[in-house]
Structures are given as C-alpha cells and as structure tokens.
Amino acid sequence: MNEPLLEDFEELNNELVSVFNNVMWIEEAALKQSYFSDITLKDMHTIDAISMYSEKSASQVAKIIHLTPSAMTTAIDRLVDKGYIERRRSNTDRRVVRLGLTHKGRVVYRAHQGFHRDLTHNLLDNMQPSEAETVKRAIHNLVSYLANVIKQ
Amino acid sequence: MNEPLLEDFEELNNELVSVFNNVMWIEEAALKQSYFSDITLKDMHTIDAISMYSEKSASQVAKIIHLTPSAMTTAIDRLVDKGYIERRRSNTDRRVVRLGLTHKGRVVYRAHQGFHRDLTHNLLDNMQPSEAETVKRAIHNLVSYLANVIKQ
DNA sequence: TGATTTATTTCGATAGTCAAACTAATTTTA
DNA sequence: TAAAATTAGTTTGACTATCGAAATAAATCA
C-alpha cells in the first residue's frame, strides 16, 4: 500500500467508521418515532428490496437482503400481517410467490427513500459541480471494491 | 432544497444506499470466515467501542452502541466467556464495571480497523490530494448532518 | 443514619434467525 | 409418459439477542 493521500487519513477513516456505525441506528430510531413504528430497519430493507414496480419472487428478495429462505418466509409473514406487503402465487409457476407493496408499503418506501436522498444532499452540501463529480467517483470506488469483496 | 448538483443524483444516491446496505453484511460475512468466527458484527462493535486504551464503564459502552443496560450485561458476558474482553470493578466506585480488551480482543480490534482502513483507502483510490480533501469534506458533511439528527 | 440515586445484574417474555424436514409444483430422464 | 430429481416456499424446533421490570449493591444526599 502506498503513502496516504491525506495527512489526516486517520481522521477521515474515523469519520467513515462513525457514519457506518450511526446511519443504521439513526434509521432504526427514526422509524420507531415515526408513524411506522411497527417495523424494524430490517423490515424496511425487505420493503426496499421488493420496491415499487418489480414483482420479485421471495427467493430473489431473500438473496438481495441475505436471508435464508425460512427466515424470508417469516419476514414476509410479519409484513403481510402488518399490511405492508402482499403475497401472490405466480400463475405461470405456482411454486413461486411474487411480492408487492401495498399502499401502506409504498408510503414507507417513499419515506425511506426520502431519508436517503437527504443523506445524499447533505453529502454534497456546499460542493461545486466538479467537486460533486469527485465525490461520486469516490463512492463509486467503494461500490466497486465491495462488489469485488463479495465475489471472492 | 435547491437544484441537484449532479445530473445523475439518483445514481449517486443508489450507490450510497448500496454501500450502506452492503458494508454491514460484508463485515459480518468476513468475520464468519475468519479466525474469529465466534463473534458477530454487533460483538465487534462492542469491542470497537471498548477500544484500546480507554477503560470505559459498561454503561458508557452501552450508550455508545445504543444497548440497554441489561443487554449490555449479557453482551459483556458473551465476550468475557469467549475471551475477548475483561471486566474489572472500579476501585474508586465499586458499582462500576470497567471494560478492557484481552490480548485476543486487541487482535480482532486491529483486524477490524484494518478492514476499515482498506475501505478508506479504496474510497480515495486514484484521487489527487485536492480531490481527497473534497471527499473528506463530503464525509464530514455527512457526520455533521447525522450528529444533528441525533440531537433532535 | 435513613432515603435516594446510580451502576449493574437477574429474570421472564418475546422476536428473529438458522438448519432440517416437509409439501407442492415443475422439469428431466429413461 | 411415469418415475426421479429439482426447485420454491413453508413448518418446526432449537438457539440467541433483545427488552422491561424488579433486584442488588454501592455511593451520595439531607
């Protein structure tokens, strides 16, 4: 590994750690205080993976959020009971369960997207367009690196 | 909120979401495959909060990682049993439990720090010093924003 | 000293996870 | 085309982490 690019590499590193450690529980806490206090952040990620228009199967969603099939089933049960998502057996292959958001599900989904947009806006606060491009490149670096780690 | 700074704001936003959603489970998976497969990522965060030289009390650590006192007790039990941390009653106030890392604890702590340093290095991959400063400013924006959200 | 506060622990209940066994639907193969 | 294998999802049982309430013990206040 070559020389650090920043004198205060450690400071950046610590801030990054703090972001990772805090974002999760802030989302969790925000959910608890909201109108949607009956779901956890993990539930939220399930809803997010199902998303708006896709009609994904249960196993596709399980793969996205890294749950075993059995855990996926109970997670779906929970969210169906609470009225956030719907189960529909596929007509073309009656083994598969297609998942979709209910009206209530679409409302939380959009609220959660709003939270993430706020994060992104704040990330770019006070940046010139060219600087914003640099930030984008940095985040893209991270995505590529993580994708690489996953593959191995 | 003013105009987006990037034409492809959405793309950046999506990548940021993907980073948040993936970092956690990658850390989790990395732990499972490692020599330290007997601890979870949450355990790792406890170890991280205790850190190297501080001698924090149980309730201080609980506050940092947002656990209730009772959950903190059992989390400590777990990590003591597995040999990662040590409990010492304070001499000046015998109600308080001071926590410290064992040798094994310090080893995982450093390994985990290494993981985060890799992330930071990759974030800055192919950046000029001035660009690295911009990235640093962006992350700092995020930290400030999150700190602000916490306060409310 | 007696009452109150503080730090931690114990206990009972609950929720989410996994692995293994199972059901039902579809595809392969002989 | 009937039997075997595969695939998608569910059920069950065991386990773990969490919480809230009550208990314990030490320190501080009045």
Side-chain angles (χ1 to χ4, degrees):
Chain A
M1 189 68 65
N2 37 19
E3 286 299 297
L5 291 155
L6 280 178
E7 272 189 33
D8 37 18
F9 176 88
E10 280 307 317
E11 193 186 325
L12 172 59
N13 185 50
N14 288 338
E15 291 208 328
L16 207 55
V17 170
S18 136
V19 169
F20 288 134
N21 288 346
N22 283 160
V23 161
M24 292 292 167
W25 91 259
I26 287 177
E27 289 193 62
E28 185 89 53
L31 269 175
K32 267 197 197 122
Q33 287 166 17
S34 75
Y35 176 66
F36 305 104
S37 56
D38 60 346
I39 54 173
T40 66
L41 183 58
K42 290 200 169 185
D43 289 332
M44 192 63 246
H45 286 157
T46 306
I47 289 170
D48 206 58
I50 294 172
S51 76
M52 295 299 256
Y53 311 110
S54 56
E55 288 278 298
K56 298 190 188 77
S57 73
S59 41
Q60 285 175 316
V61 173
K63 200 163 283 175
I64 294 171
I65 60 175
H66 308 106
L67 272 188
T68 60
S70 59
M72 190 74 251
T73 296
T74 55
I76 293 168
D77 287 344
R78 253 191 329 270
L79 288 169
V80 168
D81 287 350
K82 291 175 181 165
Y84 290 92
I85 70 179
E86 275 175 0
R87 245 191 194 106
R88 302 184 212 102
R89 285 279 163 185
S90 161
N91 287 326
T92 57
D93 183 341
R94 301 185 37 66
R95 291 169 306 179
V96 340
V97 167
R98 300 254 157 236
L99 300 172
L101 302 184
T102 60
H103 173 70
K104 194 176 172 188
R106 286 195 291 274
V107 174
V108 240
Y109 176 77
R110 276 191 288 259
H112 186 241
Q113 278 208 319
F115 174 84
H116 278 291
R117 283 216 193 81
D118 285 352
L119 285 188
T120 307
H121 274 298
N122 276 282
L123 184 76
L124 297 180
D125 186 44
N126 242 306
M127 297 268 159
Q128 298 302 114
S130 71
E131 295 176 320
E133 283 300 335
T134 301
V135 173
K136 202 192 145 194
R137 188 150 55 89
I139 300 298
H140 189 74
N141 280 344
L142 217 47
V143 170
S144 307
Y145 173 65
L146 292 176
N148 224 31
V149 173
I150 290 173
K151 259 187 239 148
Q152 285 153 17
Chain B
M1 190 65 72
N2 36 20
E3 287 298 298
L5 291 154
L6 280 178
E7 272 189 34
D8 38 15
F9 176 89
E10 281 305 316
E11 192 185 325
L12 173 58
N13 185 50
N14 289 338
E15 291 208 328
L16 207 55
V17 170
S18 138
V19 169
F20 288 133
N21 288 347
N22 283 159
V23 162
M24 294 290 168
W25 93 258
I26 286 177
E27 289 193 62
E28 183 90 55
L31 269 173
K32 268 198 198 123
Q33 287 166 18
S34 77
Y35 177 66
F36 305 104
S37 57
D38 60 346
I39 54 172
T40 65
L41 182 56
K42 290 199 170 185
D43 290 331
M44 193 62 245
H45 287 157
T46 305
I47 289 170
D48 205 60
I50 293 172
S51 77
M52 295 299 257
Y53 310 111
S54 57
E55 287 279 297
K56 297 189 188 77
S57 73
S59 39
Q60 284 174 318
V61 173
K63 202 163 282 176
I64 294 171
I65 60 176
H66 308 104
L67 270 189
T68 59
S70 59
M72 191 73 249
T73 296
T74 55
I76 293 168
D77 288 344
R78 255 196 321 274
L79 288 168
V80 168
D81 287 350
K82 291 176 181 164
Y84 291 92
I85 70 179
E86 275 175 0
R87 246 191 193 105
R88 301 184 212 102
R89 285 279 162 186
S90 161
N91 287 326
T92 57
D93 183 341
R94 303 187 33 69
R95 292 169 305 177
V96 339
V97 168
R98 301 251 157 239
L99 299 172
L101 301 184
T102 60
H103 173 71
K104 194 176 173 190
R106 286 194 290 274
V107 174
V108 238
Y109 175 77
R110 277 191 288 259
H112 186 241
Q113 279 208 321
F115 174 84
H116 278 292
R117 282 214 193 83
D118 284 351
L119 285 188
T120 307
H121 273 298
N122 276 281
L123 184 76
L124 297 179
D125 185 44
N126 242 304
M127 298 267 160
Q128 299 302 113
S130 72
E131 294 175 320
E133 283 300 335
T134 301
V135 172
K136 202 191 146 198
R137 188 150 56 88
I139 301 298
H140 189 75
N141 280 343
L142 217 47
V143 170
S144 309
Y145 173 65
L146 293 175
N148 224 30
V149 173
I150 291 173
K151 260 187 236 149
Q152 283 154 18

